[in-house]
Structure formats: structure tokens, C-alpha cells
Amino acid sequence: MTEGHEVSPRPDHDRYARVILEAVEAGQGVSQRALSQRIGAALGLTNVLVRQLVRKGWIRIARVEPNRVAYLLTPAGIAAKARMTQAYFASTVRIYGVTRQGVLEPFG
């Protein structure tokens, strides 16, 4: 029993994916270690997330040197990032509205 605490099978994967897509789109030659630090997740989880994004066709991997790769955002990745960003902003606006209403209720 979770006693009111919900356990999500993918707690922040969508947020992580959005941040990874943004970093790849910026084209700063990101490494998985840098991505890991940027999203605040373990390197192993970052590796899994990047592989999922590759499988979905949102990121393409190009070998730059024998031990270096570059991540490239695909057109499908650009569309996915746009959808995720739109959903994030809609969620933020909804939270703001609910919070604002909660603050104003005692005075109204």
C-alpha cells in the first residue's frame, strides 16, 4: 500500500527526454556524462534514455571519431520536442492558475 503516495513507472522520463532533446538541438557536442549532469540523473539512466530516443527516431547518432559520437536531432525529434515543450507550458500555466485561485479564495 502506498498510503496516498503514487508511484509512477516513469517519474521524470518525459522531462529528461525534453531536456536531452533541447541539449542536442543546441548542438554543443554534448556527451552522455554532460547530459547526465544537466538532467540530474545517473549516467546509466541517461544512457537508457538516449537509446530510447534513438529507437523512437528522435535522435540520430553519428560517429565523429573512433571513440566519439555526435547526437543529431531528427525532424521527428524536433516535432516531439515541440509537443513536449507545449505540454510543459500548458501544465505550468494550469498550475499557476490553480495556485493563484487558491491564494485569492480566502480574500474573495
Side-chain angles (χ1 to χ4, degrees):
M1 186 166 171
T2 61
E3 297 181 17
H5 301 283
E6 295 300 317
V7 178
S8 173
R10 297 174 34 168
D12 289 325
H13 287 197
D14 289 341
R15 181 182 66 85
Y16 293 158
R18 186 175 46 81
V19 172
I20 290 170
L21 292 173
E22 287 171 355
V24 170
E25 184 179 44
Q28 302 166 344
V30 234
S31 68
Q32 280 193 15
R33 190 169 306 280
L35 288 172
S36 169
Q37 292 171 349
R38 187 168 182 169
I39 66 175
L43 185 57
L45 176 59
T46 303
N47 181 276
V48 168
L49 292 169
V50 167
R51 285 187 291 153
Q52 285 177 350
L53 296 175
V54 169
R55 262 194 312 275
K56 289 180 178 182
W58 296 356
I59 293 178
R60 190 169 59 90
I61 297 177
R63 190 157 299 281
V64 179
E65 295 176 19
N67 63 342
R68 299 266 188 237
V69 297
Y71 301 111
L72 306 169
L73 202 58
T74 66
I78 293 169
K81 187 182 84 59
R83 282 190 307 273
M84 294 167 119
T85 301
Q86 183 180 19
Y88 172 76
F89 283 129
S91 171
T92 301
V93 168
R94 187 176 57 253
I95 290 170
Y96 171 78
V98 168
T99 303
R100 184 172 187 270
Q101 186 63 33
V103 168
L104 293 178
E105 268 182 14
F107 302 108

